């Protein structure tokens, strides 16, 4: 009887361990991730946290998405926005819109602040699961590294 109980307990523990191996990693906290990304990117001017309502309008977000965003004072094209969408499909749609927006900004800045165009051409626009990143900075390598580390890429 004692061997049977031991065997059942071992089987239950093995099943629990195997189930844990298949579990998805916890998603990051949007605010924490956004502030870490801001601190890891090299911006050429002071960045200002945008009101979420303004950011929603700026990026065309629906009510089911969240965003933490910063922008400079306007002397540069620099910006950072981190989004959490309702689904991975929504994240892909947002990713496409952000690429289109970035192409439009390249054309706009080309006519009045051409020195900013290389930053825009090198913008990080990435998606992973339900999260999307837009980072236009002098040096976005730290943000890229943090994004990869956060999502295991």
């Amino acid at each position: 009887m004692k061997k049977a109980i031991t065997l059942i307990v071992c089987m239950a523990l093995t099943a629990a361990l195997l189930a844990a191996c298949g579990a998805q990693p916890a998603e990051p906290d949007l605010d924490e991730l956004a502030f870490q990304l801001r601190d890891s990117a090299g911006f050429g001017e002071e960045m200002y946290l945008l009101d979420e309502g303004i950011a929603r309008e700026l990026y065309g977000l629906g009510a089911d998405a969240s965003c933490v965003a910063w922008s400079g004072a306007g002397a540069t094209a620099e910006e950072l926005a981190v989004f959490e969408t309702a689904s991975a499909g929504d994240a892909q749609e947002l990713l496409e819109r952000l690429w289109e927006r970035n192409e439009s900004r390249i054309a706009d800045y080309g006519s009045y602040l051409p020195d900013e165009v290389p930053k825009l051409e090198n913008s990080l626009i990435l998606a992973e699961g339900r999260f999307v990143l837009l980072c236009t900075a002098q040096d976005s390598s730290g943000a890229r590294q943090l994004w990869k580390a956060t999502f295991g890429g």
Side-chain angles (χ1 to χ4, degrees), residues 23-102:
Q24 295 293 324
E27 288 187 330
D29 175 76
L30 176 64
D31 290 327
E32 184 178 324
L33 176 60
F35 278 87
Q36 289 174 347
L37 286 162
R38 186 218 41 207
D39 293 343
S40 68
F43 294 102
E45 69 173 325
E46 186 173 351
M47 301 300 285
Y48 298 95
L49 183 63
L50 299 178
D51 173 79
E52 187 171 0
I54 292 170
R56 285 179 171 287
E57 190 172 321
L58 181 64
Y59 299 110
L61 295 180
D64 57 349
S66 298
C67 175
V68 179
W70 288 267
S71 179
T76 70
E78 294 181 326
E79 65 182 330
L80 173 72
V82 185
F83 307 90
E84 183 175 5
T85 63
S87 69
D90 289 348
Q92 288 302 313
E93 289 176 16
L94 176 58
L95 186 74
E96 291 173 21
R97 288 196 319 267
L98 291 174
W99 276 111
E100 291 170 7
R101 179 181 178 275
N102 197 62

